[in-house]
Amino acid sequence: MSNSYYDPKDLKKFEDIGDFGPELAKKFFDYYSAVFEEGALSAREKALIALAVSHTVQCPYCIDAYTSESLEKGASEEQMMEAVHVASAIRGGSSLVHGVQMMNKTKDVSM
Amino acid sequence: MIKSLKTREHKLSDPNYQLQLLNSHSKSLREQPKFRDKLGEAGLFPLEPTGIEIFQMNLGYMCNMTCKHCHVDAGPDRSEMMDRETFEHCIEALRHSQATTVDLTGGAPEMNPHFKWFVEEASRLGKNIIVRSNLTILTTAPKYRALVNFFADHQVEVTCSLPFYNRSRTDRQRGEGTYDKSIEALQKLNHVGYGKEETGLELNLVYNPAGAFLPGGQASMEQTFKEQLHRQHGIVFNNLYTITNLPISRFLDFLLQSGNLDEYMDRLISSFNPAAARGVMCRNTISVGWDGQLYDCDFNQMLEMPVEESAPGHISEWHEGRLNNRTIRINQHCFGCTAGAGSSCGGATT
């Protein structure tokens, strides 16, 4: 048993989740593959979106996977870092925008 | 400038050591399936030629650059160079060969003193001639700068290395200043008509990943390169070929030093594609070494794996029928040509 919650080797075992429930796993992976195919968005754009989301959900597996995927799809380091900043801005902004709620409440209860 | 592995007497300049590493460097590599078995599962073992269409010649290992990923271990400190007699054997072989394309590689093929003479001779034979240029050589001495017009005059197809559409990644792989020189050379090639559809002067770029990852889809990479190079520099070109780095020579050195060998091999092997295996370039190519030795491909040449013994081993013994009946020699490095969409000197194979 691993002494760490996150082991890079576990990423390769992702598809093994089907061992405990094949039907839903199959549905998920079929859907997952379809999502990342070239469409109205290019595969590179999708990889960059996934990279940004990976940082938002702070998933080490996803960050590893979509860093490689972004490189393979031809993204530059600048594009990848900008994607991470987009994630960071939304995440920071989503906290900050709640400041309006704080202000509203303050005004409601204040004399 | 870094020195070649050979000059440094590095262990990796020994091809047998390289093959030994690929087969048994770690527990993970020892347990990986063998290339011959994967070919067998795909119904392709033993691997046989489909006929010689491409006559690839390595004119020598001398180069003005020392790229970190170079499978040839080329550089200014390499002196191996094809001599006039070997060229003459090549012309004689080409005269009788079904091959339609003569593919000139190196090192920097332009540095061979017989280069221009040979291009003139080969173009008289009516063959399509490809020169694999590193681009930067075309910005150096006047005799090399003049080659841009020489290529155009002889309708030579120029296929050149450009690992990425930005400076940082290109220079990391190929040396400081490479990107700017490459752009200058591409603009000169465009200026004489290369890459412009109506001229018939074909300009192709070769992309290979600057690290331990595989190339992306060739069509979308080509679109990205075209957009970026045109927007940034007004450059146009015909095709982009995506090439996978094979785990040999200096790229193998990088994989070992960065601790990426096991994972990279795992990625290549788990991405084995039977369709790509059917289209591997060694089936329609013969590779002639600087000394006239014959090989199944340029990678086998660097691993000193000549064509099997039953086939003619030297260009002076050229016999196309016997070469077409040979069995192609393989080892674990071959997984580099069969991963994903496949990889060859002409890019993806599926």
Side-chain angles (χ1 to χ4, degrees):
Chain A
M1 188 183 289
S2 169
N3 289 325
S4 167
Y5 283 112
Y6 288 113
D7 182 344
K9 291 196 187 84
D10 285 347
L11 179 56
K12 286 187 188 136
K13 300 177 192 163
F14 189 13
E15 290 190 21
D16 296 350
I17 63 158
D19 293 351
F20 282 14
E23 284 178 24
L24 288 176
K26 183 179 183 314
K27 284 180 179 173
F28 174 82
F29 286 120
D30 286 348
Y31 164 77
Y32 194 100
S33 301
V35 163
F36 282 97
E37 283 170 9
E38 293 265 351
L41 291 171
S42 69
R44 188 178 72 259
E45 288 164 335
K46 289 179 181 182
L48 285 167
I49 293 169
L51 181 67
V53 175
S54 303
H55 283 77
T56 303
V57 299
Q58 292 179 300
C59 166
Y61 301 120
C62 313
I63 293 172
D64 265 9
Y66 285 96
T67 297
S68 296
E69 189 71 7
S70 297
L71 287 167
E72 291 191 2
K73 293 290 185 277
S76 66
E77 284 81 348
E78 292 84 353
Q79 289 169 336
M80 290 159 67
M81 186 51 85
E82 284 185 21
V84 173
H85 277 296
V86 169
S88 171
I90 294 296
R91 192 162 182 149
S94 70
S95 290
L96 196 57
V97 74
H98 285 78
V100 177
Q101 187 181 346
M102 174 274 285
M103 291 165 72
N104 288 342
K105 181 68 179 172
T106 301
K107 286 171 189 166
D108 285 349
V109 301
S110 296
M111 293 173 77
Chain B
M1 191 176 275
I2 56 171
K3 288 194 161 52
S4 65
L5 295 170
K6 188 171 184 198
T7 298
R8 284 186 276 149
E9 296 180 348
H10 194 289
K11 273 162 76 177
L12 283 172
S13 62
D14 173 4
N16 288 327
Y17 179 63
Q18 293 183 48
L19 291 172
Q20 194 186 319
L21 283 177
L22 294 183
N23 282 279
S24 56
H25 178 58
S26 65
K27 182 170 178 285
S28 160
L29 291 176
R30 283 192 293 276
E31 289 173 354
Q32 289 286 7
K34 297 297 175 202
F35 188 71
R36 58 175 292 161
D37 296 331
K38 296 295 280 185
L39 277 186
E41 287 167 22
L44 289 166
F45 185 80
L47 191 61
E48 290 167 349
T50 51
I52 296 170
E53 295 167 38
I54 300 167
F55 188 95
Q56 188 174 65
M57 297 164 59
N58 194 309
L59 307 195
Y61 302 159
M62 185 182 281
C63 189
N64 58 316
M65 304 177 75
T66 320
C67 301
K68 281 186 189 163
H69 69 295
C70 184
H71 73 277
V72 178
D73 190 28
D77 56 5
R78 297 298 298 264
S79 56
E80 298 91 334
M81 196 78 91
M82 188 176 280
D83 63 16
R84 174 82 174 221
E85 189 186 350
T86 308
F87 274 113
E88 279 168 359
H89 285 306
C90 289
I91 290 169
E92 196 51 32
L94 280 167
R95 226 185 281 284
H96 306 290
S97 172
Q98 298 293 309
T100 51
T101 296
V102 181
D103 185 337
L104 305 176
T105 189
E110 299 95 328
M111 293 178 89
N112 187 299
H114 310 293
F115 173 75
K116 285 176 72 175
W117 164 80
F118 179 77
V119 168
E120 284 166 352
E121 291 295 316
S123 62
R124 278 195 203 106
L125 297 174
K127 307 286 185 187
N128 175 42
I129 302 169
I130 299 174
V131 60
R132 294 192 179 270
S133 178
N134 65 29
L135 287 175
T136 66
I137 188 86
L138 304 176
T139 67
T140 56
K143 67 174 176 177
Y144 296 130
R145 298 178 84 90
L147 284 175
V148 170
N149 286 312
F150 175 80
F151 291 156
D153 292 345
H154 293 83
Q155 299 274 305
V156 174
E157 184 179 320
V158 180
T159 295
C160 42
S161 317
L162 189 70
F164 209 54
Y165 54 76
N166 71 17
R167 183 177 291 107
S168 60
R169 206 180 289 177
T170 301
D171 286 2
R172 268 208 313 275
Q173 182 180 100
R174 311 190 70 215
E176 201 67 30
T178 297
Y179 183 75
D180 290 342
K181 287 178 196 160
S182 302
I183 295 301
E184 182 191 335
L186 287 169
Q187 286 170 333
K188 284 170 65 180
L189 287 159
N190 277 171
H191 184 70
V192 300
Y194 269 100
K196 298 177 180 172
E197 302 225 336
E198 67 276 17
T199 63
L201 296 172
E202 198 159 322
L203 175 62
N204 302 315
L205 300 189
V206 172
Y207 160 86
N208 63 290
F213 53 95
L214 301 189
Q218 187 164 273
S220 65
M221 292 295 285
E222 179 180 295
Q223 194 187 344
T224 305
F225 267 65
K226 282 187 169 170
E227 284 167 6
Q228 292 283 342
L229 290 177
H230 191 259
R231 187 168 61 79
Q232 296 179 54
H233 308 289
I235 287 168
V236 292
F237 64 94
N238 298 97
N239 305 296
L240 179 87
Y241 300 141
T242 54
I243 295 189
T244 303
N245 290 310
L246 259 69
I248 67 169
S249 195
R250 282 191 214 142
F251 189 69
L252 176 56
D253 187 29
F254 157 75
L255 291 173
L256 283 166
Q257 289 200 35
S258 61
N260 277 303
L261 178 59
D262 286 2
E263 200 171 328
Y264 189 72
M265 286 305 292
D266 185 57
R267 188 76 209 284
L268 293 182
I269 294 168
S270 62
S271 306
F272 177 83
N273 177 356
R278 273 192 293 281
V280 282
M281 63 179 172
C282 49
R283 303 189 77 188
N284 70 351
T285 303
I286 196 80
S287 160
V288 188
W290 64 273
D291 56 358
Q293 284 284 321
L294 300 178
Y295 301 86
D296 299 306
C297 71
D298 203 49
F299 299 111
N300 280 7
Q301 181 179 149
M302 300 317 145
L303 291 169
E304 295 177 11
M305 291 168 54
V307 290
E308 66 160 3
E309 281 177 19
S310 66
H314 192 267
I315 189 66
S316 58
E317 303 157 4
W318 182 262
H319 189 293
E320 200 149 319
R322 280 171 58 210
L323 282 164
N324 281 333
N325 285 327
R326 77 192 193 278
T327 294
I328 294 165
R329 295 184 65 192
I330 53 170
N331 210 305
Q332 293 301 80
H333 64 291
C334 301
F335 277 114
C337 289
T338 57
S343 178
S344 74
C345 290
T349 54
T350 57

